[in-house]
Amino acid sequence: MPHTAVLLAAASNEQGPGATLRIVLLASIVGAVLLAWFLLRGYGNNDDND
């Protein structure tokens, strides 16, 4: 049983993919918002020069 305690202690120190997935998710949300703003900003101008 001493091996189980060592394995559990080693596993609890590992962070896993949680932080990386959070960063990727946040970056993709920010990127989607910026892309939507960039694409939709042209619909609001009232230029009558055509």
Side-chain angles (χ1 to χ4, degrees):
M1 282 297 188
H3 292 69
T4 307
V6 171
L7 287 175
L8 288 176
S12 66
N13 289 336
E14 295 178 9
Q15 194 172 10
T20 305
L21 289 176
R22 245 180 312 214
I23 292 170
V24 168
L25 183 64
L26 182 65
S28 63
I29 289 172
V30 170
V33 168
L34 288 175
L35 181 64
W37 171 79
F38 180 74
L39 292 175
L40 295 174
R41 70 185 177 119
Y43 290 114
N45 51 354
N46 294 323
D47 295 336
D48 292 327
N49 50 353
D50 48 0

